Amino acid sequence: MKTMFKSVLIIAFLGIGIAVIGRLFIDSNEQPPYALEKDIPQTLDSRAMDQLLAEDLSITTSMFLDQLSTQLNSWAEQDFSDTQLIEKSQLEIKEHPHINGFIIFDNQNIEQEIGDIINPDFSLLTHTHLKSEFSDPFSKDGKNYMLMGEKLSDNRKILAEVDLSFIQSFVMGMASVADANGSFFVSGDDPTVQWETTNDVPNGFRSQTVPELGWQIVVHSNEHKPEANQKSYIENQVVIKFKDHEKATDWLQEHAELQVVKENLPYYVVSSPNETTEQLLERLQNDFSLAFTEPIYLFNKQGLTKPNDEFFEPYQWNLEQINTSGGWDLSGGNNITIAILDTGVDPNHADLKDKIKTGYNAFDESDDFSDAHGHGTHVAGVAAAMTNNVTGIAGISWNSTILPVKVLNDEGEGSSYDVAKGIYWAVDQGANVINMSLGDYYDSEILYDAIKYAYDRDVVIVVASGNDNVEDPMYPAQYSEVLTVAAVDQNNNRAFFSNYGNHVDISAPGEHIPSLFINNEYTVMSGTSMASPHVAGLAGLVRSLRPDLSNQEVYDVITSSADDLGTKGKDAYYGHGQINIEKALQSISQ
């Protein structure tokens, strides 16, 4: 059993990948820090974190190029004597976010031209990888482009002009990208890292080569420091819960000096403009009418036998490592709803849009669950992306539906109140499984109350352990009602960033995990945020195969069938071991 602490909580998102590298704790200028009695030692190597990010960025770029190559070959195979196919290709070019146009050559004669290419010069294709050829990046009207060519089987060639805006968007100021000549064409906003060439980069910065292009990706993220010695909360506000809800109206009338900021039964957020948060807490914590009173702590981001999805075989090593394909012979996750409590989900992503239920926005209580950050979309894809649809990746519980619950805003920030609201809403909407790739080092009564609400209603709750390489337990990972997930790498070793301790229940792949990204993209991310939805997906498969099992019995199936790693038996680094999807489902098949 996990030890329960009644202290306080900050929640941080647990993603280390493209969009959410490193320690992504909330840092709101509105919220003062709250000092702790002790510091957690800094044991996470920032250089290792930067190297991990550089590798993620490199793999993502390779995936991007693979997509482009597939698209060009698809166009080259079309019969352009059919005017309908020409019109179809013209429409695809207009809709394609990265290709301005293409030209098909036959012995240097133009056979077909679709779209508008700024610089159609084959001589610029000076780099070759397999059957693909590339130019160096060039600039036009403040935007970066490159030419990409494909050698076709009948000696023809297809040449396309590629808009490199995606490269700049996914590095998001965390890295600079140099071409094969060592000249940077993407840099961050910080003037100290706006290098001209790779010769200008000081020692100590981590980089990774994109093999297809010879590009260098140099990471310049902030130093990664565990921030467990601080917490943040919304000033002048507290969240309260009444012992007897029928007395709430009378109590609030008696306390007319308090303003009800938000009301989402059974919780009320009240504020006092003349009192600090600490003064308000001191006054209300001993009020007999209240079940609890606490600050609103801030959260932040911390993430078929053989399907035909394009990235399954070359990139999704993680699914093979946990024996996913064998499990798919027994269950696909039918009739299961997996709630993703996160930054939202991209409602238009091709690998998700047909399986998303109407979601919830905990901030404005609307159904606008759109994701402008990317982390939630990535997590949802790992758990349950569409599978065997040629496009993109394969999701674990591929026939389950996704219930998106936006509890973190577009900067990856939220509060304990918002997450609790999201949990209540997801449970009331019939979620069978909840994934929360979030957590920090402090307990929260409102969070635990919501966790209990979900657990008592037979919901499987899966959470990430954290990315600080420390033993101190995070919340909600510490709660006995949840299944806490640590991360392993491609060699079945503990990921160097993964938190550990007796509260860890299970492990799953968490390094270099390919999945979905906003705007119909795909990226690679690392973190216990990515490990957690592997387990949520397995829970979906288990609940689909055996709907008669309780949530606790689902936990037992997952842990008892795991492949033991590290010290024999349950240990602090791997829990019961790494999930084995095939073994788990075989153990309960009838």
Side-chain angles (χ1 to χ4, degrees), residues 336-569:
I336 294 299
T337 297
I338 301 176
I340 304 295
L341 273 66
D342 216 291
T343 59
V345 172
D346 184 349
N348 300 313
H349 201 291
D351 247 354
L352 278 180
K353 63 181 181 180
D354 294 333
K355 59 186 310 178
I356 299 177
K357 289 188 172 182
T358 300
Y360 177 65
N361 184 318
F363 299 99
D364 59 16
E365 300 183 6
S366 72
D367 60 0
D368 179 13
F369 57 84
S370 57
D371 179 14
H373 188 281
H375 186 273
T377 300
H378 196 278
V379 168
V382 173
M386 293 176 64
T387 299
N388 209 38
N389 64 334
V390 181
T391 301
I393 67 159
I396 291 175
S397 193
W398 53 271
N399 214 22
S400 294
T401 54
I402 291 292
L403 184 65
V405 186
K406 188 179 180 73
V407 297
L408 299 168
N409 64 21
D410 295 340
E411 287 70 47
E413 301 175 354
S415 72
S416 50
Y417 175 76
D418 297 318
V419 174
K421 283 170 61 180
I423 293 172
Y424 264 81
W425 187 88
V427 173
D428 293 344
Q429 297 303 309
N432 306 106
V433 179
I434 289 176
N435 184 88
M436 289 189 287
S437 291
L438 46 81
D440 211 329
Y441 298 95
Y442 307 101
D443 196 355
S444 163
E445 289 192 78
I446 188 173
L447 179 65
Y448 183 58
D449 178 82
I451 292 287
K452 280 283 294 177
Y453 181 81
Y455 181 81
D456 292 345
R457 284 155 183 78
D458 199 36
V459 178
V460 170
I461 313 163
V462 183
V463 304
S465 69
N467 297 330
D468 292 325
N469 186 30
V470 295
E471 187 174 10
D472 300 63
M474 296 184 93
Y475 296 88
Q478 172 71 359
Y479 299 138
S480 60
E481 290 82 2
V482 309
L483 200 62
T484 299
V485 187
V488 298
D489 64 17
Q490 197 165 353
N491 297 312
N492 292 319
N493 296 320
R494 180 178 74 93
F496 68 88
F497 52 79
S498 187
N499 283 8
Y500 53 95
N502 293 330
H503 57 294
V504 170
D505 296 304
I506 199 72
S507 299
E511 283 194 19
H512 308 319
I513 306 301
S515 188
L516 320 183
F517 198 62
I518 54 177
N519 300 321
N520 219 31
E521 305 290 0
Y522 297 84
T523 60
V524 173
M525 294 186 185
S526 297
T528 55
S529 277
M530 287 66 248
S532 182
H534 284 79
V535 180
L538 172 54
L541 297 176
V542 171
R543 301 215 91 166
S544 177
L545 182 62
R546 289 289 302 276
D548 57 305
L549 299 181
S550 70
N551 53 1
Q552 188 58 55
E553 289 172 325
V554 173
Y555 294 169
D556 294 341
V557 167
I558 292 173
T559 55
S560 64
S561 61
D563 292 330
D564 190 26
L565 298 175
T567 304
K568 186 174 182 179

Side-chain angles (χ1 to χ4, degrees), residues 97-346:
H98 308 305
I99 298 178
N100 293 337
F102 65 85
I103 299 174
I104 298 178
F105 286 82
D106 185 5
N107 295 322
Q108 298 302 312
N109 297 316
I110 296 178
E111 181 180 293
Q112 187 64 50
E113 182 174 2
I114 301 290
D116 183 19
I117 296 183
I118 299 171
N119 196 8
D121 186 352
F122 257 109
S123 67
L124 298 178
L125 299 176
T126 55
H127 307 286
T128 302
H129 180 78
L130 299 177
K131 294 183 178 181
S132 299
E133 298 176 306
F134 307 93
S135 74
D136 288 322
F138 58 88
S139 180
K140 176 74 172 180
D141 296 330
K143 297 183 69 174
N144 290 313
Y145 302 90
M146 75 174 182
L147 296 179
M148 179 175 180
E150 290 287 318
K151 300 175 183 177
L152 308 177
S153 57
D154 54 4
N155 294 321
R156 295 182 303 153
K157 291 184 178 181
I158 183 171
L159 175 74
E161 190 169 73
V162 179
D163 185 339
L164 296 178
S165 298
F166 175 58
I167 303 295
Q168 188 144 8
S169 69
F170 76 69
V171 301
M172 296 181 70
M174 298 179 295
S176 296
V177 185
D179 63 23
N181 303 311
S183 299
F184 285 99
F185 63 95
V186 173
S187 290
D189 298 329
D190 187 341
T192 63
V193 295
Q194 290 182 347
W195 312 297
E196 293 185 4
T197 72
T198 51
N199 294 329
D200 303 324
V201 181
N203 291 332
F205 285 87
R206 297 300 173 184
S207 66
Q208 188 72 18
T209 301
V210 179
E212 294 88 345
L213 300 170
W215 291 356
Q216 285 291 316
I217 298 179
V218 182
V219 171
H220 42 75
S221 64
N222 294 329
E223 186 176 6
H224 307 288
K225 295 180 180 180
E227 298 181 11
N229 63 322
Q230 293 185 341
K231 65 180 180 181
S232 295
Y233 51 80
I234 297 177
E235 188 57 78
N236 307 115
Q237 294 183 12
V238 295
V239 60
I240 60 176
K241 179 181 179 181
F242 291 95
K243 294 178 180 177
D244 184 350
H245 297 308
E246 294 181 357
K247 296 181 179 180
T249 301
D250 291 340
W251 188 94
L252 291 170
Q253 288 176 348
E254 293 172 2
H255 294 76
E257 78 283 1
L258 298 178
Q259 178 185 357
V260 178
V261 179
K262 297 179 182 179
E263 176 182 340
N264 194 79
L265 297 180
Y267 308 124
Y268 294 82
V269 175
V270 297
S271 69
S272 173
N274 300 318
E275 295 175 279
T276 67
T277 301
E278 291 183 349
Q279 290 170 335
L280 194 54
L281 285 171
E282 185 176 359
R283 178 158 72 94
L284 297 181
Q285 279 180 333
N286 295 322
D287 191 308
F288 181 76
S289 299
L290 302 179
F292 63 76
T293 304
E294 70 177 23
I296 302 176
Y297 299 113
L298 295 177
F299 294 23
N300 200 331
K301 50 191 183 296
Q302 262 282 354
L304 309 178
T305 304
K306 185 178 180 182
N308 59 16
D309 303 83
E310 60 185 312
F311 296 135
F312 174 73
E313 194 162 8
Y315 292 103
Q316 289 192 274
W317 64 270
N318 47 314
L319 300 191
E320 180 180 0
Q321 184 159 295
I322 57 178
N323 293 325
T324 306
S325 295
W328 283 335
D329 293 334
L330 298 171
S331 176
N334 303 47
N335 304 314
I336 294 299
T337 297
I338 301 176
I340 304 295
L341 273 66
D342 216 291
T343 59
V345 172
D346 184 349

